[in-house]
Amino acid sequence: MDSEQTQEILRLREKKLTPKQIARKMGLKVSDVTRLVKEQAEQVAIAREESGELAPLVECLINANCLYRFFPEKGAIATQSEDDLETTSDPGMAIVTVTRSPGLNRFIVCTYLVDYWCLGVKDASGPRKYNRSEYQKIASLYYDSFIGGSEKISLTQAQAIVWGAIEYAEKLGFKPHRDFEQAKEQLGEWNGEPKLEFGKDGKPFYTSGPYDNSASIISTLNKSVGEGNYHYMMGREMDL
């Protein structure tokens, strides 16, 4: 394959043509085009990693029944009635997933379990690497248990939820889960907008999980906001 053909393949690839479409258009073998596209993608990925640049964003996801809480204009869940929304649209927990792709059929995924009523980031995972089929399975697994499944949000919205919840929790005396330190890079820095409201009905609302030190959390809330200025209940935890 000569240099002119290589440049033409890369030009067509930039226009989002598949290797099969490019091969048909140029009269080449699909395997040859696919190999060149993969090699080029690997070179770009290596250069990006060496420069410290984040891989291109693929998508950000959140559980649909939480989307209504933060972005009601986007989050109406058609499968729920008014009564359903009253009781289940605001679970107090969000799973936010940020997915990037450094190359063909390669995905880097970070997931954040956000208690936006009180504790901020309760858990985090990643960066984890998957191929396309693995990513589709894991994304489905994260959200299958939620009413409405998952919905796409922008990176800015994902940042506002995660970083905003951390900011809120820190005012109450709570730090993000230790694994957030590894996962935060893929999320990127937040510019402070949009501003979202955290807590429940204007107050912290602590829902206990099986791995919590509930006594310590209650003590911290007593110190930060005072008795009677928060609510709590025994609940359950979601695993990432």
Side-chain angles (χ1 to χ4, degrees), residues 146-166:
F146 290 100
I147 294 175
S150 64
E151 289 283 351
K152 291 185 179 182
I153 56 175
S154 70
L155 179 61
T156 299
Q157 289 171 328
Q159 292 169 339
I161 293 170
V162 177
W163 285 114
I166 288 174

Side-chain angles (χ1 to χ4, degrees), residues 11-239:
R11 186 184 70 80
L12 293 173
R13 185 63 178 164
E14 288 180 356
K15 293 185 175 183
K16 308 301 182 183
L17 271 68
T18 66
K20 187 174 182 179
Q21 291 171 326
I22 295 171
R24 186 183 302 116
K25 186 178 182 67
M26 296 182 62
L28 299 172
K29 292 181 179 179
V30 176
S31 59
D32 290 340
V33 174
T34 300
R35 183 176 65 254
L36 188 145
V37 169
K38 285 184 176 180
E39 289 174 353
Q40 179 67 17
E42 288 298 324
Q43 291 175 10
V44 171
I46 291 171
R48 182 180 290 116
E49 289 176 4
E50 290 178 347
S51 69
E53 180 185 353
L54 290 174
L57 183 72
V58 174
E59 63 182 3
C60 298
L61 300 174
I62 192 171
N63 40 304
N65 57 347
C66 175
L67 179 63
Y68 182 84
R69 195 266 194 199
F70 288 112
F71 310 105
E73 72 281 3
K74 291 188 176 183
I77 305 172
T79 57
Q80 289 183 288
S81 67
E82 291 288 332
D83 290 340
D84 290 333
L85 284 172
E86 189 68 26
T87 57
T88 64
S89 64
D90 192 359
M93 293 282 184
I95 292 183
V96 177
T97 301
V98 175
T99 303
R100 297 179 180 275
S101 178
L104 194 66
N105 198 34
R106 293 169 57 194
F107 297 86
I108 298 175
V109 181
C110 286
T111 304
Y112 314 88
L113 176 60
V114 182
D115 171 3
Y116 51 82
W117 282 351
C118 185
L119 299 179
V121 173
K122 290 201 70 173
D123 202 356
S125 68
R128 294 177 176 172
K129 297 180 180 180
Y130 301 104
N131 60 33
R132 183 176 299 277
S133 62
E134 290 170 338
Y135 170 62
Q136 290 172 342
K137 288 179 182 178
I138 200 69
S140 176
L141 178 64
Y142 282 150
Y143 297 103
D144 275 352
S145 62
F146 290 100
I147 294 175
S150 64
E151 289 283 351
K152 291 185 179 182
I153 56 175
S154 70
L155 179 61
T156 299
Q157 289 171 328
Q159 292 169 339
I161 293 170
V162 177
W163 285 114
I166 288 174
E167 187 177 89
Y168 177 76
E170 286 181 337
K171 291 178 181 178
L172 301 177
F174 305 110
K175 295 184 180 297
H177 190 277
R178 61 183 179 276
D179 290 343
F180 178 70
E181 191 64 28
Q182 286 185 319
K184 69 180 183 181
E185 183 179 359
Q186 298 300 315
L187 182 65
E189 294 296 328
W190 179 43
N191 65 8
E193 295 292 337
K195 289 287 188 183
L196 303 175
E197 292 186 6
F198 298 91
K200 182 173 173 60
D201 300 325
K203 294 182 178 181
F205 192 114
Y206 166 55
T207 302
S208 65
Y211 307 111
D212 290 347
N213 184 336
S214 297
S216 176
I217 291 170
I218 293 297
S219 175
T220 299
L221 286 170
N222 285 334
K223 292 176 183 178
S224 61
V225 297
E227 292 187 40
N229 294 315
Y230 64 90
H231 300 288
Y232 75 94
M233 70 175 182
M234 301 304 293
R236 63 185 180 85
E237 181 72 325
M238 293 175 289
D239 296 324

